[in-house]
Amino acid sequence: MKLITTLRIAAISLLIYIQISAVTAQGDNEWHANIKTVEKLSEEGRGFNYREDRVPAFTLPDLFTSNDGVKITSGDLWTKIRRPEILEMFRKNVYGRVPETTYKEEFKVINLDTHAMGGTATQKQVEIIIGKNSESLTIHLTLFTPNDIRQPVPAFLLIDNWTTDASVPSWKINGEFWPVNEALKRGYGMAVFSSSDLDPDNFDNFKNGIHGLLDKNPRPDDAWGTLAAWAWGASRCMDYLAGDKNIAPDKVAIVGHSRGGKTALWAGAEDTRFAMVVSNESGAGGAALARRRFGETVERLNAVFPHWFCSNYKKYSNKEDSLPVDMHMLLALIAPRSLYIDCADEDLWGDPHGSYLSLYNAIPVYNLLGRNSEIPESMPALNKQVISGRVGFHIRDGAHNLLMRDWNRFMDFADTVLK
Ligand code: GTR
């Protein structure tokens, strides 16, 4: 009897040991939030969750059943039925709708330097003038293209949400945030515009910026917010880039960091001319799944940035499960075009795991559209890039920022999908 009991205990212990080793072996390759960061942020408290075991159970809305119950089983059904209705749900409930106001658009190249960057590049400064009746708004676009490449080049267009003074060319002051030299050396054009040209980043009841020019009053509950205005500005820059002889119009990537990263995703969803979307640490209201309520939440976004989204979005504060969409559906709107998501290890506010899961859950749409992509459900290790078909991801060590190390990976990915 005693012997049997001893043997049983030994067998159970062995089983437990084998299971623990399996978990550790898998864990070695997988990113997990640093426990010290979790503890530090949790202590700072403020009622936000940074612990994976406290993420509530949730069910993501189904990508492949239409609002009328049609099963989306082909690329054709996706493109004709499901994609348009998901886009509509994001317009109506999240970012808002662009008004149908007629406007005029004019491009003025106000500065052309064919010997920029020590003669290696051509620099253009372009004014994109949006006019309605006697009023107008100007978007300042700066563009560099490499001189040693004779044919049109692929290019990155950065939404600059850091420079508030658009008259100061941001490439001079931002260094790693917009690394022109490094990109030119790798054969890419670099374009940038300042989001504040479209709409200053504060709540003024939509009086200034493009809202002041184009909105019809009273504003409906699904009228565009500030992020949608910035995304619209990216499309106006694309209008210019599409006609610039140095740029390959079918190879333009839209890039944004943080609130700019949320904007880049929405620009890519609304405007299919963007061949690639890069969303750097976009977090809540960007790549991160809202239903996880990890780090920043819908309620916090609405409270602190009431101008970013449409009014309808306020209905979902603390009611994430009633949102008809989640962010994997936003990422799916980019398919079959190229999509790159990245996060930073210390930036738990932006929920790296929730951003990765969002990408993972969007992959079936890439596959339905014939862009075979496959990424594991578990996150890659810190600083290890994952590229599969038209999607890419990395999580970098360090804090919330857009660094040269991120750009190098964007360009490695772009080398595989744009060149
Ligand atoms: C934070 C905000 C985030 C993110 C970030 C940024 O204050 O909570 O959603 O957008 O700003 O843009 O740097």
Side-chain angles (χ1 to χ4, degrees), residues 107-113 123-127 240 244:
F107 307 126
K108 273 192 196 160
V109 178
I110 55 158
N111 186 21
L112 171 68
D113 178 1
Q123 181 191 357
K124 282 179 197 148
Q125 286 193 253
V126 185
E127 285 185 356
Y240 170 78
D244 187 294

Side-chain angles (χ1 to χ4, degrees), residues 203 206 225-226 300-311 314:
F203 181 68
F206 304 102
T226 294
R300 205 273 180 179
L301 283 169
N302 280 324
V304 180
F305 308 103
H307 54 297
W308 280 2
F309 301 87
C310 71
S311 294
K314 304 205 168 46

Side-chain angles (χ1 to χ4, degrees), residues 136-353:
S136 69
L137 172 142
T138 302
I139 307 167
H140 301 85
L141 175 73
T142 301
L143 169 66
F144 286 89
T145 46
N147 282 343
D148 60 346
I149 301 179
R150 292 276 155 239
Q151 73 265 39
V153 290
F156 291 97
L157 169 63
L158 176 73
I159 301 158
D160 184 357
N161 50 287
W162 277 8
T163 308
T164 46
D165 182 359
S167 62
V168 181
S170 44
W171 62 275
K172 277 188 182 163
I173 51 172
N174 278 340
E176 291 192 39
F177 198 68
W178 192 52
V180 175
N181 251 318
E182 287 76 1
L184 290 171
K185 277 188 213 137
R186 288 184 65 162
Y188 291 98
M190 284 290 262
V192 69
F193 75 99
S194 169
S195 55
S196 59
D197 275 355
L198 275 302
D199 195 21
D201 195 358
N202 51 48
F203 181 68
D204 75 330
N205 227 346
F206 304 102
K207 296 279 177 290
N208 58 16
I210 196 68
H211 294 109
L213 188 70
L214 299 185
D215 279 3
K216 293 181 172 143
N217 285 306
R219 283 170 46 91
D221 288 343
D222 65 353
W224 56 344
T226 294
L227 300 186
W230 296 348
W232 184 87
S235 288
R236 301 296 65 80
C237 292
M238 186 66 206
D239 294 344
Y240 170 78
L241 295 173
D244 187 294
K245 66 175 179 23
N246 294 333
I247 299 293
D250 55 344
K251 291 182 178 167
V252 176
I254 181 76
V255 187
H257 164 66
S258 203
R259 61 198 74 188
K262 306 181 210 295
T263 307
L265 291 171
W266 184 234
E270 280 275 37
D271 191 338
T272 55
R273 291 175 300 171
F274 291 115
M276 173 172 154
V277 175
V278 181
S279 183
N280 187 77
E281 299 158 27
S282 56
L289 292 175
R291 280 166 173 74
R292 279 171 49 85
R293 304 160 179 87
F294 188 104
E296 188 170 32
T297 57
V298 174
E299 182 193 34
R300 205 273 180 179
L301 283 169
N302 280 324
V304 180
F305 308 103
H307 54 297
W308 280 2
F309 301 87
C310 71
S311 294
N312 279 335
Y313 193 54
K314 304 205 168 46
K315 292 184 198 156
Y316 303 104
S317 291
N318 275 324
K319 294 200 184 66
E320 287 84 350
D321 289 309
S322 62
L323 259 168
V325 289
D326 211 320
M327 302 326 247
H328 64 307
M329 297 165 107
L330 176 65
L331 305 195
L333 293 176
I334 315 289
R337 292 163 294 137
S338 302
L339 172 61
Y340 198 90
I341 306 286
D342 71 304
C343 303
D345 177 45
E346 291 168 23
D347 181 23
L348 299 187
W349 182 240
D351 190 11
H353 189 203

